[in-house]
Amino acid sequence: MTATAAPLDLLLLPTWLVPVEPAGVVLKEHGLGIRDGRIAFIGPREAALKQPALETRELPGMLLSPGLINAHGHAAMSLFRGLADDLPLMTWLEKHIWPAEAKWVDEAFVRDGTDLAIAEQIKGGITCFSDMYFYPKVASDCVHNSGMRAQIAIPILDFPIPGASTPDDALRQGIELFGDLKHHPRIKITFGPHAPYTVCDDNLEKIRVIAEELDAAIHMHVHETAFEVQQAVEQTGERPLARLGRLGLLGPRFQAVHMTQISEDDLALLVESNTSVIHCPESNLKLASGFCPVERLWQAGVNVAIGTDGAASNNDLDLLGETRTAAMLAKAVAGSATALDAHRALRMATLNGARAMGLESEIGSLEVGKAADIVAFDLSGLAQQPIYDPVSQLIYATGRDCVKHLWVAGKQLLDDRRLTRMDEQQLTATAIAWGQRISGHSE
């Protein structure tokens, strides 16, 4: 850096800094400088203290990492948290969730539910999330106002949904929203055909053409359960992933969510097409949907990111906890204690999520020039001692209540566990009011 450079807006001085790229590195007693919403400096503490800065913050006992990236969820479904627990996926959807959505989901529901989810995620160290739910314009307004970063997937199904009477109507709205937000610094619009069993070939074809024209991503539930795959094979003789491959949807812009069922042919298709897989272990465990073979995918070179899924099937949006579950489950599924070690688990929750969304040049690691999406975890507590490897402590011994500070594009959204732009009491009261309305009227 030249001596004539403008002063840093903020200099952070944590005990540990984990850049994620390069892989496996922990920098001790280093500083990170932010200017104009971007990372402008990373270097040893002594050199950092020589940088002119408008504000300097000492973060003793803290680990600075890239903000966590929640690569799959349904934000507004936070208002259905705990509504229909301990049921298999199709019963949960058809008998409980879809009827509740038909009855309750409107713009106000999506606004209040999305705000609740955003606040929960900020408090849990998440700086960017992927959302796939109704009234995507309302959700994108919530993201814009919150200062957070998000990928908003336009939901498309063959039947009418809240906010869109036909698939063509949903696509038209999606194209319009894509156009309106294509220069937004923190919001990316993608297309979200719900699942292979709810979207026909004709509509998938339309989505593929539009996504190609706009260079937009496609985000879709695929192979969530063995039943889904088995039913498709019985009806058509073709596995859903193979069908998506035949229709030309797979590729580096395709995000396949869940993928609990993976044959050798499926694996070859994923590798060949450079498709990303979004792993949602806790939702899959809770709905008994199956296990995504993460280590097998990773060793084959597939980009695997991680998501919480919606709070209606998880029941929290705790990506740090999700990452711990993913690391444990990967070992059990692979039958190997070395599968998905702590450093790779953190990479899955950061840079791999960014890569899946096509944002890896912007976020996902702490590198000079990237957006300053950063989280500070406090590892000074009793339960984290002693510390041999701070990344291991973060993944295996730390809960989201240790998230102390959080910045998105250099703006602080969480300061000493306090939300800076959202009213936590108001959000809680609104959620309680929704719960009373829904429980008071639902059978």
Side-chain angles (χ1 to χ4, degrees), residues 72 159 208 236 281 338 405:
H72 177 68
F159 39 87
R208 179 186 62 76
T236 67
T338 61
H405 309 293

Side-chain angles (χ1 to χ4, degrees), residues 271-408:
V271 171
E272 206 178 291
S273 61
N274 202 9
T275 290
S276 283
V277 168
I278 316 294
H279 177 37
C280 304
E282 292 183 2
S283 174
N284 294 158
L285 284 165
K286 186 159 178 275
L287 294 166
S289 299
F291 311 117
C292 175
V294 171
E295 187 69 9
R296 194 165 135 230
L297 290 171
W298 195 299
Q299 297 304 337
V302 176
N303 180 53
V304 187
I306 186 162
T308 57
D309 209 350
S313 68
N314 182 310
N315 293 9
D316 57 39
L317 305 179
D318 177 1
L319 201 75
L320 186 60
E322 197 80 32
T323 305
R324 181 184 190 172
T325 300
M328 304 282 198
L329 190 62
K331 298 172 195 316
V333 169
S336 163
T338 61
L340 197 64
D341 61 74
H343 282 266
R344 284 195 290 146
L346 181 61
R347 192 179 185 87
M348 192 161 90
T350 53
L351 191 56
N352 288 11
R355 183 165 293 138
M357 295 181 196
L359 293 171
E360 70 272 27
S361 61
E362 191 67 3
I363 57 171
S365 57
L366 301 182
E367 298 179 71
V368 170
K370 281 196 171 185
D373 287 19
I374 301 167
V375 59
F377 295 97
D378 187 353
L379 301 186
S380 66
L382 178 91
Q384 280 76 39
Q385 309 315 316
I387 296 175
Y388 302 110
D389 176 347
V391 176
S392 273
Q393 281 326 51
L394 176 67
I395 300 300
Y396 297 122
T398 302
R400 61 177 167 173
D401 53 340
C402 291
V403 173
K404 198 84 166 166
H405 309 293
L406 179 142
W407 295 263
V408 173

Side-chain angles (χ1 to χ4, degrees), residues 161-199:
I161 57 173
S165 53
T166 64
D168 286 344
D169 183 23
L171 275 170
R172 185 186 49 72
Q173 289 181 36
I175 294 165
E176 199 175 305
L177 196 57
F178 185 95
D180 290 347
L181 295 175
K182 68 175 175 216
H183 299 301
H184 196 288
R186 292 180 285 102
I187 301 174
K188 187 168 180 160
I189 300 298
T190 62
F191 291 87
H194 171 259
Y197 56 88
T198 51
V199 188

